[in-house]
């Protein structure tokens, strides 16, 4: 079992990473509990696999559990389901001192975290992330929220969890496509700020997807440590934290264009967006021409999507995609701000991005689809 500590003063917490953590969760949770009761929110798919084990461990330790199963899928990150969740927590008489547990992937973590942020003006919550994507990114750092018809994650709050329990063993139950999509967020860390980690992934990435527990634990720990370091420097994204959005402006536009559907999973969009960000960086002569090729080669090696042509079905024209990118939360005074790179492991935030260059890049990528 390994720990990463997120030091945020009164909002500090541990990320505990290891195998069979669910078996130890009562001991890990106990110091947080004011009374022996927790509310667990999960989705129907994760719940079917892991809820009984979690409830069994907690009730075995004398902790009463109530649980809510929401529908699996991005559509659950909505005002409607947020309202249902908060109403259910109130109906269960969850008090200010209680703890709410989010058992699931990024959708459940974001929604439940936001519900906890607004319930009785804020209750504590614990993340038990069950996807690779949630273990390395969304469960850490306190970004919570739901989607709007205007775009993804546009409604939310910063609300740090009180504990994150990342059980590597749970990843064995993930469909391969979800696991590989989550790897998009792992590789992001190497590309944004740690060239050595990227090199390690070039060698060890296949072990991670093949199920090697040591490689998985190392990848999750390094990713969480990098995220913790950035969040400790910039909790509310006034500067450095934006680096974690490498590839995300392209990704969010593509997710919107594909209707947040199975055509494109979030991690797949991150991988494509990251490849596009490196391609743009190279075209703007910020990094070498070899860098985007190396990024794509690794994504391909891992069986990941890395081009617009890897997305099935129709896509809007380049102008419409650019318009969707302009809904990004980093847009300032109507100007696009992107995370670009001076090389592998050297990402930076810039508003010095000619929209014509982005448009050209998107046009070329769409033309490549048609070829
Ligand atoms: N997922 C990006 C962040 O937490 O800032």
């Amino acid at each position: 079992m390994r720990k990463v500590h997120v030091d945020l003063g009164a909002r500090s917490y541990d990320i505990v990473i290891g195998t069979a953590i669910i078996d130890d969760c009562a001991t890990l949770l106990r110091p947080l509990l004011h009374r022996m009761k927790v509310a667990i929110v999960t989705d129907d798919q994760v719940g079917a696999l892991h809820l009984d084990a979690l409830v069994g461990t907690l009730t075995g330790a004398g902790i009463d559990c109530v649980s809510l199963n929401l529908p699996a899928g991005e559509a659950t990150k909505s005002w409607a389901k947020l309202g249902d969740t908060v109403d259910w927590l109130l109906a269960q008489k969850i008090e200010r001192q209680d703890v709410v547990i989010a058992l699931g992937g990024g959708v459940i973590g974001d929604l439940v975290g936001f519900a906890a942020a607004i319930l009785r003006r804020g209750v504590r919550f614990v993340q038990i992330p069950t996807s690779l994507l949630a273990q390395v990114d969304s469960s850490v750092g306190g970004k919570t929220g739901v989607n709007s018809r205007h775009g993804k994650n546009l409604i939310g709050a910063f609300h740090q969890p009180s504990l994150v329990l990342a059980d590597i063993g749970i990843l064995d139950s993930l469909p391969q496509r979800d696991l590989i999509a989550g790897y998009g967020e792992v590789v992001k860390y190497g590309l944004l700020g740690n060239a050595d980690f990227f090199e390690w992934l070039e060698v060890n990435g296949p072990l991670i997807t093949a199920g090697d527990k040591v490689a998985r634990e190392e990848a999750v720990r390094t990713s969480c440590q990098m995220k913790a370091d950035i969040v400790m420097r910039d909790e509310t994204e006034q500067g450095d934290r934006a680096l974690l959005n490498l590839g995300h402006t392209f990704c969010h536009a593509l997710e919107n264009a594909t209707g947040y559907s199975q055509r494109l999973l979030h991690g797949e969009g991150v991988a494509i967006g990251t490849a596009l960000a490196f391609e743009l960086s190279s075209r703007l002569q910020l990094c070498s021409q070899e860098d985007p090729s190396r990024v794509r080669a690794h994504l391909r090696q891992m069986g990941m999507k890395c081009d617009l042509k890897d997305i099935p079905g129709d896509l809007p024209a380049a102008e419409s995609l650019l318009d969707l990118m302009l809904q990004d939360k980093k847009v300032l005074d109507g100007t696009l701000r992107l995370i670009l790179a001076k090389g592998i492991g050297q990402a930076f935030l810039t508003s010095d991005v000619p929209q014509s260059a982005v448009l050209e890049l998107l046009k070329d990528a769409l033309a490549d689809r048609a070829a």
Side-chain angles (χ1 to χ4, degrees):
M1 201 182 280
R2 299 165 83 176
K3 271 189 195 171
V4 172
H5 185 64
V6 188
D7 189 354
L8 292 170
R11 296 177 309 289
S12 298
Y13 55 96
D14 284 331
I15 306 161
V16 184
I17 303 155
T19 46
I21 289 192
I22 293 247
D23 299 344
D24 293 327
C25 69
T27 315
L28 293 162
L29 275 171
R30 187 70 190 83
L32 298 177
L33 301 185
H34 180 73
R35 61 173 172 158
M36 297 292 267
K37 174 173 180 169
V38 292
I40 304 167
V41 183
T42 187
D43 70 41
D44 44 23
Q45 283 175 11
V46 171
L49 292 170
H50 306 297
L51 185 61
D52 283 352
L54 178 61
V55 170
T57 308
L58 295 178
T59 50
I63 301 168
D64 281 345
C65 302
V66 288
S67 61
L68 173 67
N69 269 13
L70 295 169
E74 190 71 31
T76 287
K77 254 176 82 169
S78 63
W79 274 120
K81 294 295 181 221
L82 176 73
D84 291 349
T85 304
V86 171
D87 275 345
W88 176 80
L89 290 166
L90 291 171
Q92 299 303 319
K93 302 207 166 39
I94 294 304
E95 299 173 0
R96 194 82 178 268
Q97 298 298 324
D98 286 336
V99 168
V100 179
I101 297 178
L103 172 69
V107 167
I108 288 295
D110 286 7
L111 174 97
V112 175
F114 192 27
I118 58 178
L119 184 77
R120 302 189 197 279
R121 297 206 177 91
V123 302
R124 291 165 305 148
F125 80 114
V126 169
Q127 292 266 21
I128 305 187
T130 56
S131 67
L132 180 58
L133 183 143
Q135 292 192 351
V136 299
D137 184 47
S138 60
S139 68
V140 175
K143 276 191 181 173
T144 72
V146 294
N147 299 331
S148 150
R149 66 191 158 83
H150 296 286
K152 211 173 138 91
N153 297 334
L154 292 182
I155 307 154
F158 286 100
H159 185 53
Q160 299 293 340
S162 299
L163 179 67
V164 180
L165 302 178
D167 190 328
I168 304 295
I170 279 185
L171 301 180
D172 289 339
S173 62
L174 277 185
Q176 192 68 0
R177 183 177 173 196
D178 289 329
L179 183 76
I180 291 177
Y183 185 80
E185 295 280 7
V186 176
V187 83
K188 176 191 83 174
Y189 288 102
L191 293 174
L192 75 86
N194 188 338
D196 290 345
F197 184 46
F198 182 73
E199 263 178 44
W200 184 85
L201 290 171
E202 285 180 313
V203 176
N204 293 284
L207 289 177
I208 296 168
T209 46
D212 184 285
K213 297 275 188 299
V214 176
R216 279 187 181 173
E217 193 172 299
E218 182 57 21
V220 173
R221 192 202 58 79
T222 306
S223 303
C224 286
Q225 186 65 63
M226 283 188 70
K227 179 146 188 187
D229 290 344
I230 291 175
V231 168
M232 287 188 284
R233 287 204 298 276
D234 178 22
E235 185 180 2
T236 57
E237 200 169 309
Q238 307 303 311
D240 267 10
R241 185 165 179 169
L243 298 178
L244 295 169
N245 283 318
L246 175 63
H248 281 61
T249 307
F250 290 105
C251 167
H252 289 164
L254 294 169
E255 282 184 285
N256 189 317
T258 49
Y260 303 104
S261 68
Q262 288 295 309
R263 282 175 62 199
L264 184 71
L265 303 180
H266 176 68
E268 294 171 342
V270 171
I272 295 173
T274 302
L276 288 171
F278 268 83
E279 180 64 37
L280 184 59
S281 303
S282 162
R283 287 184 181 204
L284 296 174
Q285 298 184 333
L286 295 164
C287 71
S288 77
Q289 284 180 348
E290 287 72 42
D291 286 338
S293 310
R294 191 170 159 201
V295 173
R296 281 210 186 90
H298 180 56
L299 296 175
R300 287 256 177 263
Q301 173 204 9
M302 295 300 295
M304 302 194 71
K305 295 185 182 357
C306 61
D307 277 310
L308 294 195
K309 65 178 175 219
D310 298 328
I311 303 173
D314 291 338
L315 284 178
E319 290 77 4
S320 306
L321 286 175
L322 180 60
D323 204 43
L324 289 170
M325 289 176 72
L326 286 162
Q327 263 294 2
D328 187 74
K329 289 189 288 308
K330 289 185 297 305
V331 166
L332 193 63
D333 298 331
T335 301
L336 202 54
R337 293 192 304 156
L338 288 180
I339 313 301
L340 296 180
K342 293 183 183 146
I344 286 176
Q346 297 175 64
F348 67 104
L349 173 66
T350 178
S351 51
D352 192 10
V353 189
Q355 285 196 14
S356 55
V358 181
L359 198 58
E360 211 51 41
L361 174 77
L362 292 170
K363 279 185 179 166
D364 290 347
L366 288 168
D368 196 29
R369 267 166 71 85

